[in-house]
Amino acid sequence: MNIYDKAHDLAKALKESSEVQEISSAMTLIEADPESKKMLEDFRQRQMEIQQRMMSGDMPSQEEMEKMEKLFDVLSLNLNIRRLFEAERRLSTIIEDVNKIISDSLQHLYGGQSL
């Protein structure tokens, strides 16, 4: 059994999953609507800036986090953006589950401790 072949099979299965198809479909609709596209791009930019700050140890204020939550709620009123967010959440869950399955399979190497 070649692990890399299995990894490529998994990558192919993810690419063909309904979640990835839904993300692609939602993105196509968002790209066709300049207002939705701009709102999403602005949100993603703010999100990335906050994540970069957090990685450098600069934690955002409670006010900034509440502002982002409100912005997320406003964006979620847009049906195509909400559809995208929901599909991204489902895909993220799948990736987390796969990661846990792989990690759990190696626990015996570390005396039963979680990785």
Side-chain angles (χ1 to χ4, degrees), residues 23-41:
I23 290 169
S24 180
S25 176
M27 283 304 298
T28 298
L29 293 171
I30 291 166
E31 292 285 333
D33 177 9
E35 185 178 328
S36 295
K37 181 180 177 186
K38 175 92 172 92
M39 288 187 331
L40 182 62
E41 286 173 351

Side-chain angles (χ1 to χ4, degrees), residues 17-33 36 39-40 44 72-92:
S17 71
S18 61
E19 290 78 12
V20 169
Q21 300 302 320
E22 186 69 19
I23 290 169
S24 180
S25 176
M27 283 304 298
T28 298
L29 293 171
I30 291 166
E31 292 285 333
D33 177 9
S36 295
M39 288 187 331
L40 182 62
R44 297 281 197 216
F72 178 85
D73 291 342
V74 169
L75 284 174
S76 294
L77 295 173
N78 178 304
L79 295 179
N80 292 324
I81 293 175
R82 180 173 49 211
R83 184 174 157 197
L84 173 67
F85 287 164
E86 289 171 357
E88 287 176 337
R89 182 189 47 76
R90 289 192 309 272
L91 181 60
S92 178

Side-chain angles (χ1 to χ4, degrees), residues 99-100 102-115:
N99 196 15
K100 182 174 179 355
I102 293 168
S103 295
D104 287 353
S105 75
L106 302 174
Q107 276 186 342
H108 69 283
L109 296 173
Y110 301 97
Q113 298 173 3
S114 290
L115 297 179

